[in-house]
Amino acid sequence: MKKTLLLIGILSLSFAFSYAQEDGKRFRSTYLKINPTTLINELDIVLEQDISDKISIELGISGIYTDYPDYVLAKKIDIGQKKPDITTEQFVDGAGLGFRAGLRYYLITKEIGPSSAAGTYFEPVLIFKKVFYSNQDVTLNNNAYTNSASKDVYAIQLLVGRQFRREKLVLDPYFGIGLRGKAYHSDNYVLGDDGVVNRNKGTLVSVLPSLHLGIKLGLRLRK
């Protein structure tokens, strides 16, 4: 899945830049946006750069300060999936970074100026996130051990939205579907029935479809 996402990203960016160079107007309006719909667990900051009247590129970074929503999806919703060997406390205290890149193609644009690509758009988005869970110290047979865990997320989203621009303000509602792969890495120590301390180290991979509905708010930085 990593190679597939990387290939899609390279092809998309290559197409975008070649289109922009042919158009002769490579750099246009720049917008800085946040996604308030994700504030429950992360601060999502996105930069959108117009490169033509029809195409723009979005690059984003996320600061993750809790992974509790994934605890609900992974452990509280039972659809027969395997459960990661990660505690509730580790999910709650999880922190990390996320990166995204999207290529927008405006299907219907509003004729409100030569530097505007506002309108209805389609956007494939590639996402990578790395989450580190807090270590947990345990005492087994009078010996101290440390349980640790982390998570990698690879995702692709196919979004449709409608962007509204007014002077320096931008409003960007969207919805879509996607595919998300998660790799949970855990390294835990447990006491077996025979009284021997066992080390359980492994990776649990989960790949599931996803639904997306949200809105981004932002300001124009340059024109």
Side-chain angles (χ1 to χ4, degrees):
M1 187 172 184
K2 297 180 186 179
K3 294 182 179 179
T4 301
L5 293 178
L6 179 60
L7 179 60
I8 293 174
I10 292 174
L11 291 176
S12 298
L13 292 177
S14 298
F15 171 77
F17 281 116
S18 63
Y19 187 98
Q21 290 171 346
E22 289 177 2
D23 186 65
K25 299 176 181 179
R26 186 168 179 175
F27 296 103
R28 299 191 175 198
S29 294
T30 303
Y31 286 83
L32 181 65
K33 298 177 283 187
I34 64 169
N35 191 342
T37 58
T38 64
L39 288 177
I40 188 174
N41 68 307
E42 63 185 42
L43 176 61
D44 196 3
I45 300 174
V46 179
L47 190 72
E48 181 183 2
Q49 175 65 60
D50 289 347
I51 59 176
S52 79
D53 290 334
K54 289 286 188 178
I55 292 179
S56 69
I57 290 178
E58 274 197 331
L59 299 175
I61 184 170
S62 302
I64 302 166
Y65 39 82
T66 180
D67 204 29
Y68 183 77
D70 194 42
Y71 160 76
V72 176
L73 294 174
K75 291 201 167 186
K76 288 299 185 180
I77 299 178
D78 190 357
I79 55 175
Q81 78 276 27
K82 293 183 179 180
K83 309 292 185 179
D85 193 9
I86 299 171
T87 67
T88 303
E89 292 76 14
Q90 287 177 304
F91 273 111
V92 171
D93 295 334
L97 285 174
F99 304 92
R100 70 181 62 235
L103 176 66
R104 286 192 174 187
Y105 179 74
Y106 284 87
L107 305 171
I108 303 174
T109 57
K110 298 171 64 177
E111 300 297 335
I112 57 176
S115 64
S116 175
T120 303
Y121 64 84
F122 168 74
E123 179 181 16
V125 182
L126 302 178
I127 296 174
F128 170 75
K129 295 181 181 181
K130 181 71 176 184
V131 179
F132 298 94
Y133 298 113
S134 58
N135 292 337
Q136 290 192 330
D137 296 327
V138 295
T139 301
L140 305 171
N141 289 345
N142 296 321
N143 293 316
Y145 300 91
T146 300
N147 295 337
S148 61
S150 64
K151 180 182 69 172
D152 299 324
V153 179
Y154 302 90
I156 182 170
Q157 300 174 351
L158 302 177
L159 306 179
V160 175
R162 177 74 178 177
Q163 187 173 101
F164 302 93
R165 297 179 181 179
R166 184 175 181 85
E167 296 181 352
K168 289 194 172 185
L169 298 178
V170 60
L171 182 67
D172 201 349
Y174 65 88
F175 68 93
I177 59 174
L179 187 66
R180 178 179 298 148
K182 303 176 184 178
Y184 300 92
H185 310 284
S186 58
D187 188 359
N188 297 328
Y189 295 87
V190 296
L191 188 63
D193 296 335
D194 55 1
V196 176
V197 176
N198 298 314
R199 183 181 184 183
N200 295 335
K201 184 178 181 180
T203 299
L204 174 64
V205 177
S206 171
V207 180
L208 292 171
S210 57
L211 295 175
H212 305 279
L213 178 64
I215 189 170
K216 298 172 189 173
L217 306 174
L219 294 171
R220 187 179 69 208
L221 300 181
R222 63 183 293 272
K223 180 176 179 180

